Amino acid sequence: MFESHPYTVGALLFALLAYLWSIFRVGQARGKYGVQAPAVTGDPGFERAFRAQQNTVEQLILFLPLLALAAWLWGDRAAAIYGAVWSVGRILYVEGYAREAGKRALGFYLSGLLSMIVLLALIVTLVMRHF
Amino acid sequence: MFESHPYTVGALLFALLAYLWSIFRVGQARGKYGVQAPAVTGDPGFERAFRAQQNTVEQLILFLPLLALAAWLWGDRAAAIYGAVWSVGRILYVEGYAREAGKRALGFYLSGLLSMIVLLALIVTLVMRHF
Amino acid sequence: MFESHPYTVGALLFALLAYLWSIFRVGQARGKYGVQAPAVTGDPGFERAFRAQQNTVEQLILFLPLLALAAWLWGDRAAAIYGAVWSVGRILYVEGYAREAGKRALGFYLSGLLSMIVLLALIVTLVMRHF
């Protein structure tokens, strides 16, 4: 499946790098705000970085199967576009949330909301194919 | 792999919808109990909705590879039955937990415990096939 | 893909068992330290067990796509070695963290840090293949 979907593989690697970025930002915030593990509460600045990474885990678990299904049903390029937009959306989410809770909205639209739309569109594609 | 496993694809989509449902219930609980992000504590009603969704993430990450392995080793229908029962179990878990922490037991048996049994059964299948 | 990668399948099952172990340790800690769901805070001993499992979720979501990509690009044995070392690393992480926050370092190097190196090495492999 990877062999025939080179752009999707690229988008997958980009998404994993965006996820690593969210992890790196939590480590940075631990140092900056002096929050020692296992604590995950303290300065709101740390808590926003932590929630941004946690939310990225929650979205990544939805993104990975959707990316595979999109590659299968819509082809390499369409899946890669989904993956690239999602990855940019995640970086905007993490960076926006780091500044202010309200500034995560754009990143959410481009990743979380996008994934919901992709899920519904995949179901429509499958239903239309079979009836 | 998707092409030859249509029922499993259907069960996968059902599982992802069940997961989205758990996310939607957290958003609803944020409004109902007035818990603003990035906070994840407050009214126990919110905390139960949040824990139900977090637990669904923890189970989904186990479910996805098990579903793929079950489709490979046991075929499309057996994997789809696992996926459908798991998805119903997750909805029961989320709805039960929303009412009372003790009411999540049935949902746990049909998803978390089921996955543990599926993992052990997959190992037995592989061992029997090779010896 | 599973059929042609038997060692990787074995490593995948090992990784899922290591993850179940981290879940089992949280259940045990709930009993030992008297922390009732939905609470996830209380005795530091419980909090360390809980954070170890949460961290394993965060690492597993990265590990699963990397294992598949490694199997594709590097072959069955190389992917299986990554999976086996990662799984041992996770058990060391969970057991080290249970004792003391500082004792999770070795487990982190063999799983979290290893995955970062694998991700970068996969990108290098792909770039070298195409240029």
Side-chain angles (χ1 to χ4, degrees):
Chain A
M1 187 149 182
F2 293 133
E3 200 65 43
S4 54
H5 294 80
Y7 293 107
T8 307
V9 168
L12 171 60
L13 291 168
F14 184 18
L16 297 179
L17 287 171
Y19 174 50
L20 276 192
W21 180 250
S22 78
I23 292 176
F24 171 72
R25 292 293 258 159
V26 174
Q28 232 184 2
R30 280 208 182 274
K32 185 175 171 187
Y33 299 107
V35 178
Q36 294 291 316
V40 291
T41 50
D43 189 281
F46 170 77
E47 291 187 14
R48 290 198 307 274
F50 181 66
R51 285 307 313 151
Q53 180 240 346
Q54 294 291 301
N55 188 274
T56 302
V57 173
E58 294 165 23
Q59 289 299 325
L60 192 56
I61 188 78
L62 183 62
F63 169 77
L64 293 175
L66 290 180
L67 186 72
L69 289 166
W72 168 53
L73 285 176
W74 299 340
D76 188 29
R77 280 168 201 232
I81 290 168
Y82 165 48
V85 174
W86 186 93
S87 304
V88 170
R90 277 293 108 189
I91 294 168
L92 292 175
Y93 185 93
V94 167
E95 295 307 309
Y97 212 161
R99 268 179 227 113
E100 204 183 295
K103 291 203 170 141
R104 70 192 199 281
L106 176 62
F108 168 73
Y109 297 142
L110 295 177
S111 55
L113 185 65
L114 175 65
S115 288
M116 288 180 211
I117 293 166
V118 165
L119 174 52
L120 297 180
L122 286 168
I123 293 171
V124 169
T125 303
L126 274 172
V127 169
M128 285 179 63
R129 191 194 259 204
H130 287 284
F131 296 102
Chain B
M1 186 148 181
F2 292 134
E3 200 65 44
S4 54
H5 294 81
Y7 292 108
T8 306
V9 168
L12 171 60
L13 291 168
F14 184 18
L16 296 180
L17 287 170
Y19 174 50
L20 275 192
W21 179 249
S22 77
I23 293 177
F24 171 73
R25 293 293 258 161
V26 175
Q28 232 184 3
R30 279 206 183 276
K32 185 175 172 188
Y33 299 107
V35 179
Q36 295 291 317
V40 292
T41 51
D43 190 282
F46 170 77
E47 291 187 13
R48 290 199 307 273
F50 181 67
R51 284 308 313 152
Q53 180 239 347
Q54 294 292 300
N55 188 274
T56 302
V57 173
E58 293 164 23
Q59 288 298 327
L60 192 55
I61 189 78
L62 184 61
F63 168 78
L64 292 175
L66 290 180
L67 185 72
L69 288 166
W72 168 53
L73 284 176
W74 298 340
D76 188 30
R77 281 169 200 231
I81 290 168
Y82 165 47
V85 174
W86 186 94
S87 303
V88 170
R90 276 293 108 188
I91 293 168
L92 293 175
Y93 186 93
V94 167
E95 295 307 309
Y97 213 160
R99 268 179 228 113
E100 201 182 296
K103 289 202 172 144
R104 71 193 198 282
L106 176 62
F108 167 74
Y109 297 142
L110 295 177
S111 55
L113 186 64
L114 175 64
S115 287
M116 287 180 212
I117 294 166
V118 165
L119 174 52
L120 296 180
L122 286 168
I123 293 171
V124 169
T125 303
L126 274 172
V127 169
M128 286 178 62
R129 191 194 260 206
H130 287 285
F131 296 102
Chain C
M1 187 149 179
F2 292 133
E3 201 65 44
S4 54
H5 294 80
Y7 292 107
T8 307
V9 168
L12 171 60
L13 291 167
F14 184 18
L16 297 179
L17 287 171
Y19 174 50
L20 276 191
W21 180 250
S22 77
I23 293 176
F24 171 73
R25 292 293 258 159
V26 174
Q28 231 184 2
R30 280 206 183 277
K32 185 175 172 188
Y33 299 106
V35 179
Q36 295 291 317
V40 291
T41 51
D43 190 281
F46 169 77
E47 292 188 13
R48 289 198 308 273
F50 180 66
R51 286 306 313 150
Q53 180 240 345
Q54 294 291 300
N55 188 274
T56 302
V57 173
E58 294 165 22
Q59 289 299 327
L60 193 56
I61 188 78
L62 183 62
F63 169 78
L64 293 175
L66 290 180
L67 186 72
L69 289 166
W72 168 52
L73 285 176
W74 298 339
D76 187 31
R77 281 171 198 229
I81 290 168
Y82 165 47
V85 174
W86 187 93
S87 304
V88 170
R90 277 292 109 189
I91 293 168
L92 292 175
Y93 186 93
V94 167
E95 295 307 310
Y97 213 160
R99 268 178 228 115
E100 202 182 296
K103 291 204 170 141
R104 72 194 198 279
L106 176 63
F108 167 74
Y109 297 141
L110 295 177
S111 56
L113 186 64
L114 175 65
S115 288
M116 287 180 210
I117 293 167
V118 165
L119 174 51
L120 296 180
L122 286 168
I123 292 172
V124 169
T125 303
L126 274 173
V127 169
M128 286 179 63
R129 192 194 259 203
H130 287 285
F131 296 103

